[in-house]
Amino acid sequence: MSRKNPAVSDWVRPEIRALSAYQVPDARGLIKLDAMENPYTWPEELRQAWLKRLHDVDVNRYPDPRAAALKRRLRVNMSIPSSAEIILGNGSDELIQMIAMTLSRPGQVLLSVEPGFVMYRMIAVFTGMRYEAVALKGEDFSLDTPALLAAIERHRPAVVFLAYPNNPSGNLFDEADLIQVTEAAPGLVVVDEAYAPFTEATLMPRVGQFGNLLVMRTVSKMGLAGLRLGLLAGPTAWMAEIEKTRLPYNINTLTQLSAEFALSHNEVFDEQTRAIREAREALFGRLAGLSGVTAFPSAANFILLRLAEGRAAPVHASLKSAGVLVKNLHGAHPLLRDCLRVTVGTPDENEAFIAALTDATE
Ligand SMILES: Cc1ncc(COP(=O)(O)O)c(C=O)c1O
């Protein structure tokens, strides 16, 4: 006897049905400047030494659930205060989810700014939190601090997420404003430092000075995106609770070993991120010289640019047919009208991008 198929619409939460899945475009054959990756691979000797280490791994056993060796290495490399506790995530995306799962209750608010990192909103929806956002200032994407403080007062958010530098605008907020927000917030404040390798600015030394400040990092942007490893640092009382939502063995053995190995050869990645910072300045200079293009200053490994009205989609398509993939942000938020975001690549990739952009905007 055939059983009636249950209707998806009867069972899937309406807010999940209303979401669009996170889209990752096919980049095969294209210069990939859409996802803030480090364009550089590893020198051959480093690869060989890594493969030797991998050879000795026994994958029949579960990973070290505490990832103790990796945490020790991260503590040193990221100058994490000794008083701070660490939690690792399968990418920092997973840490955002763990924080939200820890705090979610009907009506609880996750507050952020927009335009901002889209996963804050998506994860609020996944976990049943109410998402609220305060618009950044239109002219330079700086924080509208009075509006943010008023939203904190009104919504009493369980958590405020602020990316520092911000994605997709690339700018740093004023540190004094972040501190003011931390002092005003009734719950947690998470400063998301995904782009820390490309700036000297950081609130990491201030973890522990405020009972509610957490700093989040990732190894993705420094050149280890494929390993999926994020890190949260904060006061023990909060971290002990968030840790309970971590799935056992969330950081697999190959990631633990590979990240620890890579981070113990930090000089390679420091050199790569130094080159990216230098290339960012060169790229910014080239963009500033193009008519019909406004580039926004960036402290990250990408640059947001605004084109003439109505040009984002045609220029995006034209770049793609010239073999360069960037992100079209037009339509994602009113403040991103006519905007594209380009990741800083190698000097050759950036040249190819500039040439294609020049053709597309002439
Ligand atoms: C601000 C911000 N936070 C977090 C992430 C996610 O990083 P991960 O690769 O560690 O999940 C990104 C990725 O683009 C980001 O832009």
Side-chain angles (χ1 to χ4, degrees), residues 36 91-93 117 120 163 167 192 194-195 218 220-221 228-229:
M36 286 84 86
S92 42
D93 287 345
F117 182 45
Y120 305 146
N167 171 18
D192 177 351
Y195 299 96
T218 176
S220 294
K221 316 300 174 182
R228 307 303 296 130
L229 179 69

Side-chain angles (χ1 to χ4, degrees), residues 4-21:
K4 203 172 122 231
N5 273 338
V8 169
S9 55
D10 285 349
W11 293 101
V12 176
R13 289 156 53 197
E15 62 273 27
I16 300 292
R17 292 200 346 117
L19 284 177
S20 312

Side-chain angles (χ1 to χ4, degrees), residues 68-230:
L70 175 56
K71 278 187 183 169
R72 275 196 300 276
R73 171 57 64 185
L74 286 162
R75 205 176 262 287
V76 173
N77 283 42
M78 297 193 179
S79 307
I80 297 166
S82 53
S83 64
E85 203 52 64
I86 299 176
I87 300 177
L88 302 184
N90 188 335
S92 42
D93 287 345
E94 192 189 41
L95 291 165
I96 303 169
Q97 193 176 50
M98 284 160 59
I99 295 165
M101 283 195 295
T102 305
L103 304 174
S104 177
R105 260 187 283 172
Q108 288 287 26
V109 168
L110 183 157
L111 178 71
S112 192
V113 291
E114 285 191 349
F117 182 45
V118 292
M119 290 312 292
Y120 305 146
R121 181 178 66 82
M122 290 191 71
I123 287 172
V125 174
F126 300 162
T127 56
M129 293 190 85
R130 215 174 88 217
Y131 173 76
E132 296 287 344
V134 174
L136 295 173
K137 290 188 189 162
E139 57 291 1
D140 59 0
F141 299 102
S142 59
L143 273 188
D144 183 344
T145 310
L148 187 53
L149 292 173
I152 288 172
E153 193 55 40
R154 187 161 70 253
H155 300 299
R156 311 295 294 163
V159 58
V160 182
F161 277 94
L162 293 166
Y164 181 65
N166 189 45
N167 171 18
S169 50
N171 57 311
L172 285 163
F173 300 132
D174 194 9
E175 183 178 330
D177 289 346
L178 295 180
I179 299 301
Q180 216 185 333
V181 166
T182 305
E183 284 174 336
L188 279 180
V189 174
V190 181
V191 174
D192 177 351
E193 297 191 341
Y195 299 96
F198 310 102
T199 175
E200 301 308 312
T202 174
L203 260 64
M204 190 62 92
R206 313 206 61 163
V207 171
Q209 289 177 17
F210 303 89
N212 61 338
L213 175 67
L214 307 186
V215 168
M216 193 166 70
R217 294 275 184 95
T218 176
V219 300
S220 294
K221 316 300 174 182
M222 64 169 270
L224 303 173
L227 296 182
R228 307 303 296 130
L229 179 69

Side-chain angles (χ1 to χ4, degrees), residues 287 293-296 303-307 338-340 342 353 357:
L287 288 166
V293 177
T294 306
F296 293 92
I303 296 177
L304 182 73
L305 40 123
R306 175 164 288 130
L307 305 171
D338 307 311
C339 283
L340 302 180
V342 60
F353 162 69
L357 183 65

